[in-house]
Amino acid sequence: MPLETPVRIVRELAARGYNAEQAAVTLIASTERPGRTLERVVEHVDDAALRITADDVRDALGDARPSSDARDAETRADDVSTMENGAETIEDDVSAVGGDAPNRGERDASTPRRDETTNPGRGDAPADVGESGSGSQDPSVSTGDERGYRKTEAGSGSGNVPEETAGAASGGGTSPGDAAPAASRTVDPSLRSLEVAGDVTGQSTGTGEYGDFVKVFRDRYEKLSKQLRGRVNHRPATAIQSMSGGTDAAMVGLVNDIRSTKSGHWLVELEDTTGTFPCLVMKDREFAELVDELLLDECIAVEGTLSDDAGIMFVDSMHFPDVPRTYSPNTADRHVQAALVSDIHVGSQEFEADAWTRFADWLHTEEAERVEYLLIAGDMVEGVGVYPDQDEELDIVDIYEQYERFSEHLKDVPGDMEILMIPGNHDAVRLAEPQPGFDENLRDIMSAHDARITGNPSLVTVEGVKVLMYHGVSLDEVIAELPEEKASYDDPHKAMYQLLKKRHVAPQFGGKTRLAPEEKDYLVMEEVPDVFHTGHVHKLGWGKYHDVLAVNSGCWQAQTDFQKSVNIDPDVGYAPILDLDTLDMTVRKFA
Ligand code: D5M
Ligand code: FE
Ligand code: ZN
């Protein structure tokens, strides 16, 4: 069923150089032939006009149309073709969700309610990493089943209109569907707060020299050993080296080497700021499987007994910086929501523009009224030269044009939303992590909505809720190195649990994830986040680890040739919607 959305009207007007009052858009949308009305209005208004008002529309219509004819919006199907793309109804697509994500549960798509939230967990208690509460509830995925949009807000900031006249944050109007008073985004920006910490933007001092590596490792050790010191009675490596055989000892160190011995035990060499010490994990100890989880350069603590010759420690227990089991997450003081998305990949032939438009349209509906934040975890655009042969699948070959197009898509979301974005590996910033936020040039291009632009990673506190945003390149590594049940593409949130346990977003230096040494280790999770949001692997998955919500938010790019060749089946067009007051989450599908 075709349906003109206000967004499309706003876009059409913007393309002709006009901004519009919300009530004007509503009026146009409520006429029998919105496309024709729009043309008539444009012909009618003064050439010098920048902003179309409701009066302009009434004048153009000669006020002949009684307001009640908004009733027939449902049956309008005629001149849609004059509107860009002709709008489509969003399909009930629950079966598709159930199909490719059998564990995620389903719910009746015909009755999605915005307060119908779900506890995260995808039905799997993350037993492997020790779990408190959560996890076992039925998570649900709802569809973006939004027939008959009610919301008629002027999309704001569209096109080339002056900032100050950009669409209002709220306002009345009539619903095209039923002539009832339109739902409006009655947001109050003064209630909002959004602070950023841990952002490398503007702070990068690294030159890649040896000294930088020493500094960054020292800082990592400092920060992570602090989490472990209280739990073991540790000694520096040099002190342990001079202890006598048979004594108990404990050490906190970065994993320098992991080797298996001839008899199948594990030799883990730990390094602290004074030196290294070899620690032996016997294969028959119950914690031996923890060695499977270890990544080089992560920080752990061990307790054990020194061998008779004091040359090695027999490990009795192993500890990770971890999230305390008693961790109690922060929540917002009011009912407000954030949409968590990532990996939009504008500029790729596989970018799913229609899905994005449906999402943006939905954000204008009453149901989405409380979605006041949009947090984007990287890969805004497809980029250029990111992977071999990538150019064969580019829709836009110029990187700046890609950002310009992305900016256009960003304008589709309500102008009153608070947007924050970090870069990913496809974005035009340095590849090595921590990645600084976009430069001035790109910021200018993406100036719509005055989005907050920060580095990858960033700890973003949204109305009290600490959201750690990280693009997620290290997830590939965690998934490659750890056993399937601890981290896999099908359960990307489990790989995230591992990062939470290590309290570091990308532990391993010299592996696949490119890291830049800085004075500080920006990749350490000094504070426990309440929500950990990543993307990159293009798979949807979420769950709670010690009450921290881990969300990997899927993507807006259909399967690429490369992904086909390696059997990556991306989860496209999902928008996890997080209640900041309860940390419950609902996932909506728009593809
Ligand atoms: O990567 C999306 C996912 O696909 C991520 O898990 C990496 C993987 N990927 C995609 N293309 C390639 C190539 N060419 N080589 C290796 N891995 C790849 P994203 O970076 O977000 O496109
Ligand atoms: Fe991506
Ligand atoms: Zn990526």
Side-chain angles (χ1 to χ4, degrees):
M1 176 181 59
L3 180 71
E4 292 70 34
T5 65
V7 174
R8 216 155 258 118
I9 292 170
V10 168
R11 227 193 266 150
E12 281 292 309
L13 288 171
R16 292 162 165 80
Y18 297 104
N19 187 18
E21 235 176 53
Q22 181 166 354
V25 175
T26 308
L27 265 178
I28 295 172
S30 69
T31 59
E32 204 172 325
R33 300 179 168 205
R36 194 162 300 170
T37 308
L38 188 148
E39 297 300 337
R40 211 186 293 170
V41 171
V42 169
E43 274 167 34
H44 184 83
V45 291
D46 196 299
D47 282 348
L50 281 175
R51 185 160 211 239
I52 308 261
T53 64
D55 283 344
D56 290 332
V57 180
R58 280 189 210 102
D59 286 353
L61 292 171
D63 245 346
R65 191 189 55 83
S67 61
S68 60
D69 75 355
R71 281 243 138 254
D72 61 8
E74 290 265 310
T75 53
R76 278 184 270 118
D78 44 12
D79 57 351
V80 176
S81 54
T82 63
M83 311 294 285
E84 191 188 352
N85 289 329
E88 302 149 23
T89 314
I90 294 167
E91 296 295 318
D92 288 1
D93 206 359
V94 163
S95 55
V97 174
D100 47 38
N103 290 331
R104 283 175 207 141
E106 298 172 6
R107 71 172 159 181
D108 182 358
S110 61
T111 56
R113 290 180 315 155
R114 47 181 287 281
D115 57 347
E116 190 179 316
T117 50
T118 86
N119 283 309
R122 263 181 76 168
D124 58 78
D128 54 326
V129 275
E131 167 51 14
S132 66
S134 93
S136 55
Q137 297 86 347
D138 269 348
S140 302
V141 176
S142 79
T143 67
D145 169 33
E146 308 310 320
R147 286 205 187 90
Y149 285 177
R150 297 281 176 97
K151 188 58 197 67
T152 56
E153 198 242 324
S156 106
S158 316
N160 38 14
V161 283
E163 190 82 39
E164 69 273 13
T165 57
S170 63
T174 39
S175 154
D178 56 10
S184 53
R185 289 182 67 92
T186 48
V187 298
D188 179 355
S190 71
L191 297 173
R192 293 180 183 163
S193 71
L194 192 151
E195 286 146 33
V196 178
D199 173 15
V200 72
T201 310
Q203 311 291 321
S204 175
T205 54
T207 54
E209 315 244 314
Y210 178 75
D212 291 333
F213 284 94
V214 175
K215 278 188 199 142
V216 78
F217 275 120
R218 260 179 202 279
D219 189 57
R220 174 183 301 199
Y221 182 77
E222 249 333 87
K223 287 173 173 154
L224 290 177
S225 63
K226 215 187 285 172
Q227 310 293 337
L228 290 158
R229 268 179 231 153
R231 286 187 258 162
V232 295
N233 186 17
H234 81 291
R235 292 279 170 273
T238 45
I240 297 174
Q241 283 158 11
S242 55
M243 283 163 72
S244 42
T247 31
D248 289 344
M251 178 172 170
V252 175
L254 305 184
V255 175
N256 200 34
D257 192 23
I258 308 167
R259 264 173 292 159
S260 61
T261 67
K262 263 194 217 140
S263 38
H265 305 303
W266 296 101
L267 197 57
V268 179
E269 186 178 73
L270 292 187
E271 177 170 16
D272 66 14
T273 50
T274 67
T276 63
F277 202 81
C279 306
L280 191 78
V281 180
M282 308 288 279
K283 65 181 176 196
D284 48 358
R285 301 300 298 259
E286 70 283 7
F287 58 89
E289 67 165 51
L290 290 175
V291 177
D292 290 341
E293 293 181 10
L294 292 182
L295 289 177
L296 292 179
D297 307 319
E298 72 171 289
C299 187
I300 62 168
V302 293
E303 287 175 304
T305 312
L306 296 188
S307 58
D308 287 345
D309 64 1
I312 206 169
M313 185 197 301
F314 295 110
V315 178
D316 290 323
S317 65
M318 199 186 282
H319 308 262
F320 295 82
D322 225 320
V323 172
R325 274 172 194 281
T326 52
Y327 184 69
S328 169
N330 301 287
T331 52
D333 291 338
R334 63 181 184 120
H335 180 56
V336 60
Q337 298 174 309
L340 312 181
V341 301
S342 68
D343 295 272
I344 304 168
H345 290 264
V346 173
S348 156
Q349 286 168 11
E350 284 83 16
F351 165 54
E352 293 274 350
D354 288 350
W356 179 267
T357 303
R358 282 185 205 113
F359 169 52
D361 286 354
W362 175 75
L363 288 171
H364 286 267
T365 67
E366 183 177 18
E367 210 173 14
E369 189 181 22
R370 288 277 76 87
V371 186
E372 297 190 29
Y373 298 91
L374 174 64
L375 307 179
I376 313 177
D379 285 359
M380 258 41 82
V381 300
E382 174 63 11
V384 177
V386 180
Y387 291 124
D389 299 327
Q390 184 205 21
D391 50 332
E392 287 167 19
E393 291 183 75
L394 286 181
D395 182 32
I396 305 172
V397 295
D398 181 273
I399 185 79
Y400 292 104
E401 277 174 32
Q402 290 182 0
Y403 281 102
E404 269 154 26
R405 184 75 63 85
F406 167 70
S407 181
E408 290 306 310
H409 287 291
L410 208 52
K411 285 172 189 165
D412 292 345
V413 315
D416 59 60
M417 285 185 79
E418 203 75 51
I419 302 177
L420 183 138
M421 42 191 169
I422 64 167
N425 57 312
H426 284 252
D427 285 299
V429 301
R430 83 167 180 202
L431 187 56
E433 298 172 10
Q435 296 179 284
F438 300 113
D439 67 16
E440 286 307 320
N441 230 339
L442 294 173
R443 279 170 202 253
D444 280 352
I445 294 175
M446 294 184 279
S447 57
H449 296 293
D450 219 3
R452 291 283 290 272
I453 285 173
T454 71
N456 170 37
S458 285
L459 183 66
V460 183
T461 305
V462 188
E463 302 204 14
V465 179
K466 289 181 283 175
V467 182
L468 175 60
M469 304 211 17
Y470 170 61
H471 177 59
V473 168
S474 70
L475 295 174
D476 282 330
E477 202 155 32
V478 173
I479 290 168
E481 305 243 339
L482 269 52
E484 169 94 23
E485 69 278 10
K486 302 212 168 165
S488 68
Y489 284 107
D490 283 339
D491 292 321
H493 52 292
K494 290 192 184 169
M496 299 172 75
Y497 297 166
Q498 289 291 334
L499 298 177
L500 286 164
K501 186 170 180 176
K502 299 173 194 315
R503 294 282 291 269
H504 200 284
V505 300
Q508 192 155 302
F509 254 88
K512 279 196 227 152
T513 315
R514 295 227 217 147
L515 303 180
E518 296 284 349
E519 302 228 335
K520 297 196 299 175
D521 191 347
Y522 289 88
L523 307 174
V524 169
M525 299 182 201
E526 260 187 290
E527 285 184 62
V528 176
D530 303 310
V531 178
F532 184 22
H533 173 204
T534 62
H536 181 63
V537 294
H538 293 205
K539 297 296 283 185
L540 174 69
W542 70 95
K544 281 197 179 175
Y545 176 67
H546 297 188
D547 244 9
V548 175
L549 174 63
V551 188
N552 199 81
S553 51
C555 63
W556 300 82
Q557 181 188 38
Q559 193 180 45
T560 62
D561 283 349
F562 169 83
Q563 289 166 353
K564 199 180 241 167
S565 73
V566 295
N567 262 337
I568 297 178
D569 185 17
D571 290 325
V572 185
Y574 292 91
I577 307 294
L578 172 70
D579 273 0
L580 291 165
D581 52 338
T582 59
L583 303 190
D584 285 338
M585 209 178 69
T586 309
V587 176
R588 290 184 164 269
K589 183 167 201 249
F590 297 97

